[in-house]
Amino acid sequence: MNLHLIKVCFLGVAGAICLLSSCQKDMVAPDQNNNPKVRPLATQEVKTISSSNDFAFRAFAALRAVESEQNLFISPLSISSALTMTYNGADGTTKEAMRQTLGFEPQTDVEINQAYKSLTELLINMDKKVTLTTANSIWYAQQFQLQAPFVQNNKTYFNATVQGLDFASPSAKNTINNWVKDYTQGKIASIVQEIRPEHVLFLVNAIYFKGTWTYPFTKNLTKPAPFRKEDGSTVNVDFMTMEKGRYLVYEDAQKQVIDLPYGNRQFSMTLIVPKEQNTVRDIAANLSSSQLATWLSNADSTSLELHLPKFKLEYKKELSETLTQLGMGEAFSNQANFSRMLSNSNQGLAISEVMHKAFVEVNEEGTEAAAATSVGIVVTSLPSIIQVNRPFVFLIREKSTNAILFIGQLMNPQ
């Protein structure tokens, strides 16, 4: 297939859903006026949960393989949502490679898209004390025409706004970036660095998360303390203190798992902290949805005082190499088949880049997080006090769907 200098970029700004099998002890939330709006999951939703879990942990493992000593934070939903919208324009062996990489079980396009739509609707109404907003848009060079089914699928299932722009105008980039900034509350200031002549399309998925702890940390108890890095050195960072609260803890010889709830407890942050001589690498090697579910099902409720570092981090990564390792290399090659995107065109399309940005801030009140993904396509035993003072893996999750909204590792809080 001939590759011409035409480029389509798909952007996702999201906190990612990748989902766990339900297996966690319940605790009664203190706010009885904030009951979760849960419901049984449909069969196709369960399949999507399984595939999202699988993709999230495989992507995290692949990134850790090359950045094992660095802070890392991704939104699997942002990545998988952007790629699923891209999948709607794929065909042939390219579509099959993307299906396998994203972990989709044999399902129709309608089943895959409908599951994303219904799960997103469920999540955003789950908790009055958690803000979870989502928005989608398609921005295309106005001299091109998109195929109706490609547009309709993204309108129907991702609620996408579709708008043509003059990509030759400097204002086009600002229009897209301002939209991203608005829907992430300013946390992702921009995702499009430039619009080149070969660009055809930008497809944007946006999700923003802000959760208030069920039991907030006491602000006037926050003070500096040493955080021990894996190389043996220490850095002084602000540690928060939760004196009175309840949360879940699981512990064995290798690790401690801490599950801190937000709001009505449907969303939580799960920390996996290595013990003794174990490292983040040791615990991450065995990290999977089934393993995490097992740990949480064996967790006990505790009210022990908790010390947790206060931190903020930003992450940026181009993911084409990672996704190629995960099996969808064809989508980046001149054999790629995205023939279901453009109308009245014989131009061949291929993915040129997948850029991901993510942000998280954890403080005494709760957590704020957002992420952005751009997919470019071209033609062509418990102590009396729990102290989390060493590197750890952490996830932001929702309980009834058991969705992991974000996953990362904190190696250095500074």
PDB file of all heavy atoms in Angstrom, residues 19-20 39-46 49 119 122 400-402:
ATOM      1  N   LEU A  19     -10.235  -3.399  33.985  1.00  0.00           N
ATOM      2  CA  LEU A  19     -11.139  -3.766  35.040  1.00  0.00           C
ATOM      3  C   LEU A  19     -10.826  -5.109  35.653  1.00  0.00           C
ATOM      4  O   LEU A  19     -10.319  -5.998  34.998  1.00  0.00           O
ATOM      5  CB  LEU A  19     -12.560  -3.732  34.495  1.00  0.00           C
ATOM      6  CG  LEU A  19     -12.820  -2.483  33.666  1.00  0.00           C
ATOM      7  CD1 LEU A  19     -14.180  -2.534  33.026  1.00  0.00           C
ATOM      8  CD2 LEU A  19     -12.659  -1.238  34.415  1.00  0.00           C
ATOM      9  N   LEU A  20     -11.151  -5.231  36.935  1.00  0.00           N
ATOM     10  CA  LEU A  20     -10.820  -6.420  37.680  1.00  0.00           C
ATOM     11  C   LEU A  20     -12.050  -7.260  37.969  1.00  0.00           C
ATOM     12  O   LEU A  20     -13.137  -6.749  38.089  1.00  0.00           O
ATOM     13  CB  LEU A  20     -10.210  -6.014  39.034  1.00  0.00           C
ATOM     14  CG  LEU A  20      -8.965  -5.140  38.936  1.00  0.00           C
ATOM     15  CD1 LEU A  20      -8.602  -4.666  40.313  1.00  0.00           C
ATOM     16  CD2 LEU A  20      -7.848  -5.906  38.302  1.00  0.00           C
ATOM     17  N   ARG A  39     -25.176  -1.796  39.493  1.00  0.00           N
ATOM     18  CA  ARG A  39     -26.091  -2.708  38.798  1.00  0.00           C
ATOM     19  C   ARG A  39     -25.274  -3.904  38.326  1.00  0.00           C
ATOM     20  O   ARG A  39     -24.041  -3.827  38.202  1.00  0.00           O
ATOM     21  CB  ARG A  39     -26.755  -2.014  37.617  1.00  0.00           C
ATOM     22  CG  ARG A  39     -25.778  -1.528  36.543  1.00  0.00           C
ATOM     23  CD  ARG A  39     -26.488  -1.217  35.253  1.00  0.00           C
ATOM     24  NE  ARG A  39     -25.626  -0.602  34.260  1.00  0.00           N
ATOM     25  CZ  ARG A  39     -24.723  -1.248  33.545  1.00  0.00           C
ATOM     26  NH1 ARG A  39     -24.511  -2.548  33.734  1.00  0.00           N
ATOM     27  NH2 ARG A  39     -23.979  -0.609  32.642  1.00  0.00           N
ATOM     28  N   PRO A  40     -25.931  -5.023  38.042  1.00  0.00           N
ATOM     29  CA  PRO A  40     -25.203  -6.172  37.483  1.00  0.00           C
ATOM     30  C   PRO A  40     -24.632  -5.814  36.118  1.00  0.00           C
ATOM     31  O   PRO A  40     -25.232  -5.064  35.345  1.00  0.00           O
ATOM     32  CB  PRO A  40     -26.286  -7.257  37.363  1.00  0.00           C
ATOM     33  CG  PRO A  40     -27.380  -6.826  38.270  1.00  0.00           C
ATOM     34  CD  PRO A  40     -27.365  -5.329  38.278  1.00  0.00           C
ATOM     35  N   LEU A  41     -23.458  -6.357  35.822  1.00  0.00           N
ATOM     36  CA  LEU A  41     -22.839  -6.111  34.527  1.00  0.00           C
ATOM     37  C   LEU A  41     -23.363  -7.094  33.491  1.00  0.00           C
ATOM     38  O   LEU A  41     -23.572  -8.269  33.768  1.00  0.00           O
ATOM     39  CB  LEU A  41     -21.319  -6.252  34.632  1.00  0.00           C
ATOM     40  CG  LEU A  41     -20.598  -5.272  35.555  1.00  0.00           C
ATOM     41  CD1 LEU A  41     -19.098  -5.519  35.513  1.00  0.00           C
ATOM     42  CD2 LEU A  41     -20.911  -3.832  35.181  1.00  0.00           C
ATOM     43  N   ALA A  42     -23.578  -6.590  32.278  1.00  0.00           N
ATOM     44  CA  ALA A  42     -23.988  -7.436  31.161  1.00  0.00           C
ATOM     45  C   ALA A  42     -22.823  -8.316  30.720  1.00  0.00           C
ATOM     46  O   ALA A  42     -21.659  -8.018  30.999  1.00  0.00           O
ATOM     47  CB  ALA A  42     -24.470  -6.569  29.998  1.00  0.00           C
ATOM     48  N   THR A  43     -23.128  -9.381  30.016  1.00  0.00           N
ATOM     49  CA  THR A  43     -22.092 -10.322  29.563  1.00  0.00           C
ATOM     50  C   THR A  43     -21.016  -9.621  28.762  1.00  0.00           C
ATOM     51  O   THR A  43     -19.811  -9.860  28.966  1.00  0.00           O
ATOM     52  CB  THR A  43     -22.728 -11.438  28.718  1.00  0.00           C
ATOM     53  OG1 THR A  43     -23.690 -12.132  29.507  1.00  0.00           O
ATOM     54  CG2 THR A  43     -21.667 -12.407  28.227  1.00  0.00           C
ATOM     55  N   GLN A  44     -21.406  -8.746  27.828  1.00  0.00           N
ATOM     56  CA  GLN A  44     -20.418  -8.049  27.004  1.00  0.00           C
ATOM     57  C   GLN A  44     -19.579  -7.090  27.840  1.00  0.00           C
ATOM     58  O   GLN A  44     -18.389  -6.877  27.556  1.00  0.00           O
ATOM     59  CB  GLN A  44     -21.116  -7.301  25.868  1.00  0.00           C
ATOM     60  CG  GLN A  44     -21.858  -8.198  24.904  1.00  0.00           C
ATOM     61  CD  GLN A  44     -20.950  -9.262  24.286  1.00  0.00           C
ATOM     62  OE1 GLN A  44     -19.768  -9.037  24.074  1.00  0.00           O
ATOM     63  NE2 GLN A  44     -21.518 -10.430  24.020  1.00  0.00           N
ATOM     64  N   GLU A  45     -20.162  -6.499  28.883  1.00  0.00           N
ATOM     65  CA  GLU A  45     -19.394  -5.631  29.768  1.00  0.00           C
ATOM     66  C   GLU A  45     -18.341  -6.422  30.528  1.00  0.00           C
ATOM     67  O   GLU A  45     -17.215  -5.960  30.713  1.00  0.00           O
ATOM     68  CB  GLU A  45     -20.338  -4.919  30.736  1.00  0.00           C
ATOM     69  CG  GLU A  45     -21.243  -3.896  30.078  1.00  0.00           C
ATOM     70  CD  GLU A  45     -22.258  -3.321  31.034  1.00  0.00           C
ATOM     71  OE1 GLU A  45     -22.702  -4.048  31.949  1.00  0.00           O
ATOM     72  OE2 GLU A  45     -22.617  -2.150  30.870  1.00  0.00           O
ATOM     73  N   VAL A  46     -18.709  -7.608  30.972  1.00  0.00           N
ATOM     74  CA  VAL A  46     -17.749  -8.466  31.670  1.00  0.00           C
ATOM     75  C   VAL A  46     -16.579  -8.812  30.751  1.00  0.00           C
ATOM     76  O   VAL A  46     -15.409  -8.816  31.166  1.00  0.00           O
ATOM     77  CB  VAL A  46     -18.434  -9.751  32.187  1.00  0.00           C
ATOM     78  CG1 VAL A  46     -17.409 -10.716  32.756  1.00  0.00           C
ATOM     79  CG2 VAL A  46     -19.482  -9.404  33.235  1.00  0.00           C
ATOM     80  N   ILE A  49     -14.408  -5.777  30.504  1.00  0.00           N
ATOM     81  CA  ILE A  49     -13.638  -5.655  31.735  1.00  0.00           C
ATOM     82  C   ILE A  49     -12.413  -6.562  31.687  1.00  0.00           C
ATOM     83  O   ILE A  49     -11.286  -6.149  31.980  1.00  0.00           O
ATOM     84  CB  ILE A  49     -14.503  -6.011  32.950  1.00  0.00           C
ATOM     85  CG1 ILE A  49     -15.500  -4.889  33.225  1.00  0.00           C
ATOM     86  CG2 ILE A  49     -13.647  -6.275  34.187  1.00  0.00           C
ATOM     87  CD1 ILE A  49     -16.551  -5.239  34.249  1.00  0.00           C
ATOM     88  N   LEU A 119     -20.398   1.118  30.211  1.00  0.00           N
ATOM     89  CA  LEU A 119     -19.523   1.133  31.386  1.00  0.00           C
ATOM     90  C   LEU A 119     -19.148   2.554  31.765  1.00  0.00           C
ATOM     91  O   LEU A 119     -19.101   2.903  32.955  1.00  0.00           O
ATOM     92  CB  LEU A 119     -18.271   0.297  31.118  1.00  0.00           C
ATOM     93  CG  LEU A 119     -18.467  -1.220  31.162  1.00  0.00           C
ATOM     94  CD1 LEU A 119     -17.241  -1.930  30.609  1.00  0.00           C
ATOM     95  CD2 LEU A 119     -18.768  -1.697  32.579  1.00  0.00           C
ATOM     96  N   LEU A 122     -22.011   4.144  33.526  1.00  0.00           N
ATOM     97  CA  LEU A 122     -22.138   3.619  34.885  1.00  0.00           C
ATOM     98  C   LEU A 122     -21.146   4.297  35.824  1.00  0.00           C
ATOM     99  O   LEU A 122     -21.497   4.711  36.937  1.00  0.00           O
ATOM    100  CB  LEU A 122     -21.911   2.101  34.872  1.00  0.00           C
ATOM    101  CG  LEU A 122     -21.936   1.380  36.225  1.00  0.00           C
ATOM    102  CD1 LEU A 122     -23.319   1.496  36.870  1.00  0.00           C
ATOM    103  CD2 LEU A 122     -21.549  -0.087  36.047  1.00  0.00           C
ATOM    104  N   SER A 400     -17.530  -1.646  41.873  1.00  0.00           N
ATOM    105  CA  SER A 400     -18.610  -2.479  41.336  1.00  0.00           C
ATOM    106  C   SER A 400     -18.282  -3.014  39.949  1.00  0.00           C
ATOM    107  O   SER A 400     -18.607  -4.146  39.610  1.00  0.00           O
ATOM    108  CB  SER A 400     -19.932  -1.710  41.294  1.00  0.00           C
ATOM    109  OG  SER A 400     -19.894  -0.720  40.285  1.00  0.00           O
ATOM    110  N   THR A 401     -17.604  -2.174  39.152  1.00  0.00           N
ATOM    111  CA  THR A 401     -17.088  -2.668  37.876  1.00  0.00           C
ATOM    112  C   THR A 401     -15.690  -3.218  38.085  1.00  0.00           C
ATOM    113  O   THR A 401     -15.142  -3.892  37.222  1.00  0.00           O
ATOM    114  CB  THR A 401     -16.990  -1.523  36.851  1.00  0.00           C
ATOM    115  OG1 THR A 401     -16.135  -0.520  37.371  1.00  0.00           O
ATOM    116  CG2 THR A 401     -18.347  -0.942  36.532  1.00  0.00           C
ATOM    117  N   ASN A 402     -15.122  -2.862  39.251  1.00  0.00           N
ATOM    118  CA  ASN A 402     -13.747  -3.149  39.596  1.00  0.00           C
ATOM    119  C   ASN A 402     -12.797  -2.585  38.556  1.00  0.00           C
ATOM    120  O   ASN A 402     -11.847  -3.218  38.122  1.00  0.00           O
ATOM    121  CB  ASN A 402     -13.546  -4.635  39.841  1.00  0.00           C
ATOM    122  CG  ASN A 402     -14.326  -5.081  41.048  1.00  0.00           C
ATOM    123  OD1 ASN A 402     -14.015  -4.713  42.170  1.00  0.00           O
ATOM    124  ND2 ASN A 402     -15.383  -5.832  40.820  1.00  0.00           N
TER     125      ASN A 402
END
